[in-house]
Amino acid sequence: MPETSASPAVHVPRPEEVPAVLALADRVQAADGHPPLNDQTRAVLARGGQRWWGVTRDADGTLTGAAALVPEAAEDGPGVVELAVDPAHRRAGLGGALAAAAARAVRDRDEGAETSAWAHGDLPGSAALARRHGLEAARELRRMRIDAAGLADLPPAVLPAGVRIRPFAPGRDEDTWLGLNADAFADHPEQGSLTRADLEARMAQEWFSAEGLLLAEDEDGTAVGYHWTKVTDDAGGEPEGEVYAVGVSPAAQGRGLGRTLTLAGLHHMAERSVAGVDLYVDAGNVPAVRLYDSLGFVLAAADVQYRPAAG
C-alpha cells in the first residue's frame, strides 16, 4: 500500500522476491562501493526472518527499491532498518517513501525506542533521511583497506608457543566455533549473539570456504581464537578479500593472538591473489584500529548507525 497519495507506492513483497531484493542490493553495491545490506540482514531475508519489509516497483514490475526491518542480533532483540534504492531510479522519492514505510512499521510494532538504522557509506542522502526521522549518529563502523602491494610487504605470522592453526571442519567444529565466538564477542551487539542458524546461513553462501576460516588451538585442542576470511569476485572477476571476523578467547588474551591470526588470514587471502582486503572496525575500538594502522590498512569509508535522538 502507498504511504500517501503523493509518495511512490511501497508494497509488501512476496517471499519468492528475496533473490530479486538481494540482486538489487548487489546493483547498489556495484554502483556505490558499499553494500546497502549487511550479511546479517541478507541471511535473515534468506530464511524469511524479517519483521517487516517493503519494496517499490517500476511500471513493468521490476524492483527499484527495498527496505527491511530485521533483528539486529537476537531474534527477540532490537531491530535495525536498512534500505536500498536502485541507482537508475534515484531522486524520485523512493528512499523517502521506503524510510517512511519503515518508520510506520516500527511505530506499529512499538519498537521506536530501540530500533536503529544503518547508513552504509554514510552518503549525504542517508544522513538527511535520518535527520528527517529524528535519528542521530550513535556509532561509526570504519571500513579500512590494504591493497595487494601492502599484503606483499606484511611480516610473517609467528605463532605463540604451543599454538597451531588449522582450517574449520564443517560438521565437527560448529559448536566449538559458536562457543568461542560468543566468548570473544560477549560485549558485541551483533557478532557475539550469532546462532547456529546464522552460522549455517553464512556457510551456505557461495563465498564461504572452510579453508578460509582459520582456528587457533592450544596443544590440548582447546580453541583459543579464529580468523574468518572472506574472498569474493567483483564484477570483473578479480578476487577481493575481507577480514570477516577475528576473535580471541578472553582466556587467551595477552599472547599476541589477535595480531598473529590477522596476519595468518591476510597471508591466506594474499595466496588467493586478491586485489586487496577490506575490514570493518568500530571507531571506538582503539586497540584494533591501531593494529590495523600498523599493518598498513587505510580508511576507505565509514558506516554510521543512527538511533532515535535523545528526548
Side-chain angles (χ1 to χ4, degrees), residues 145-158 227 243 259-271 274 276-277 279 291-297:
R145 181 172 177 82
I146 187 171
D147 60 18
L151 291 172
D153 290 336
L154 289 173
V158 180
H227 183 169
V243 177
R259 180 182 179 86
T260 297
L261 281 163
T262 299
L263 284 167
L266 292 174
H267 286 300
H268 171 81
M269 288 185 280
E271 292 170 359
V274 296
V277 173
L279 61 82
L291 168 61
Y292 300 135
D293 281 338
S294 73
L295 294 177
F297 282 85

Side-chain angles (χ1 to χ4, degrees), residues 213-239:
L213 177 43
L214 308 178
L215 287 178
E217 295 179 332
D218 274 335
E219 290 177 314
D220 63 359
T222 300
V224 292
Y226 74 87
H227 183 169
W228 193 342
T229 68
K230 179 179 180 180
V231 176
T232 58
D233 290 337
D234 67 12
E238 190 173 22

Side-chain angles (χ1 to χ4, degrees), residues 46-123:
R47 66 173 184 261
Q50 65 275 0
R51 295 173 179 172
W52 171 88
W53 62 332
V55 297
T56 56
R57 302 187 180 101
D58 65 11
D60 66 5
T62 301
L63 263 62
T64 55
L69 169 65
V70 303
E72 184 175 28
E75 293 297 328
D76 59 349
V80 62
V81 172
E82 293 180 318
L83 66 84
V85 175
D86 192 301
H89 294 83
R90 289 177 178 169
R91 297 181 176 84
L94 300 184
L98 288 162
R104 170 179 284 184
V106 169
R107 290 195 300 271
D108 289 347
R109 296 179 57 88
D110 195 24
E111 296 187 19
E114 296 184 335
T115 299
S116 63
W118 273 107
H120 297 286
D122 197 27
L123 302 174

Side-chain angles (χ1 to χ4, degrees), residues 139-298:
R139 179 184 173 199
E140 179 185 330
L141 190 64
R142 295 182 179 178
R143 179 163 70 90
M144 303 182 74
R145 181 172 177 82
I146 187 171
D147 60 18
L151 291 172
D153 290 336
L154 289 173
V158 180
L159 292 173
V163 174
R164 65 185 178 192
I165 291 179
R166 65 168 178 85
F168 178 88
R172 188 185 76 185
D173 287 331
E174 284 84 350
D175 289 339
T176 295
W177 183 87
L178 285 167
L180 173 62
N181 181 71
D183 289 343
F185 291 97
D187 297 325
H188 195 280
E190 299 111 6
Q191 183 70 26
S193 59
L194 290 182
T195 65
R196 181 69 176 252
D198 294 326
L199 174 58
E200 291 175 349
R202 285 157 175 76
M203 291 173 65
Q205 296 298 309
E206 184 177 350
W207 56 261
F208 175 76
S209 166
E211 290 76 17
L213 177 43
L214 308 178
L215 287 178
E217 295 179 332
D218 274 335
E219 290 177 314
D220 63 359
T222 300
V224 292
Y226 74 87
H227 183 169
W228 193 342
T229 68
K230 179 179 180 180
V231 176
T232 58
D233 290 337
D234 67 12
E238 190 173 22
E240 289 285 345
E242 180 181 335
V243 177
Y244 195 56
V246 177
V248 176
S249 168
Q253 297 286 347
R255 298 164 62 183
L257 277 173
R259 180 182 179 86
T260 297
L261 281 163
T262 299
L263 284 167
L266 292 174
H267 286 300
H268 171 81
M269 288 185 280
E271 292 170 359
R272 299 278 304 274
S273 300
V274 296
V277 173
D278 291 334
L279 61 82
Y280 293 86
V281 59
D282 271 293
N285 188 346
V286 176
V289 172
R290 286 176 178 167
L291 168 61
Y292 300 135
D293 281 338
S294 73
L295 294 177
F297 282 85
V298 296

